[in-house]
Amino acid sequence: QVQLVESGGGLVQAGGSLRLSCAASGRTFSSYDMGWFRQAPGKEREFVGCIHWSGTRTYYPDSVKGRFTISRDNAENTVYLQMNSLKPEDTAVYYCAASTVFNVTTSNEYDYWGQGTQVTVSS
């Protein structure tokens, strides 16, 4: 069982940066591959990246590649999403999620979810 809590969301101007954190409870955190998703009002949940349990591999869709970076600290049971060069279209609720499979991009492949944190990018 893994419980996830996101933090770090807020309001930022276009071109700015934010770093989201996802704190996990449970001693098995380091065995899970972690993903980040986002969901804007009226839209489907969108995959924005994932990281291998070891922290050595990441994967990003083209929509955020080069702007977003995922990292993790297994000693601190935390995964991060660094977002740079933010755009108004990045506005959404951001979720972290845990999976036993790496490099999966669909939400049904993830077993545990956080409650989400709002990110709003103003133009």
Side-chain angles (χ1 to χ4, degrees), residues 16-45:
S17 299
L18 276 177
R19 188 177 81 156
L20 306 184
S21 299
C22 172
S25 63
R27 290 178 287 180
T28 59
F29 169 76
S30 60
S31 65
Y32 282 92
D33 303 305
M34 299 296 296
W36 284 93
F37 289 77
R38 65 187 181 187
Q39 189 166 20
K43 295 188 176 181
E44 293 187 354
R45 193 163 292 190

Side-chain angles (χ1 to χ4, degrees), residues 76-99:
E76 296 294 328
N77 279 10
T78 303
V79 62
Y80 303 97
L81 176 64
Q82 176 67 45
M83 304 184 293
N84 299 327
S85 302
L86 282 162
K87 305 174 182 180
E89 52 263 43
D90 294 318
T91 295
V93 177
Y94 283 72
Y95 300 88
C96 66
S99 174

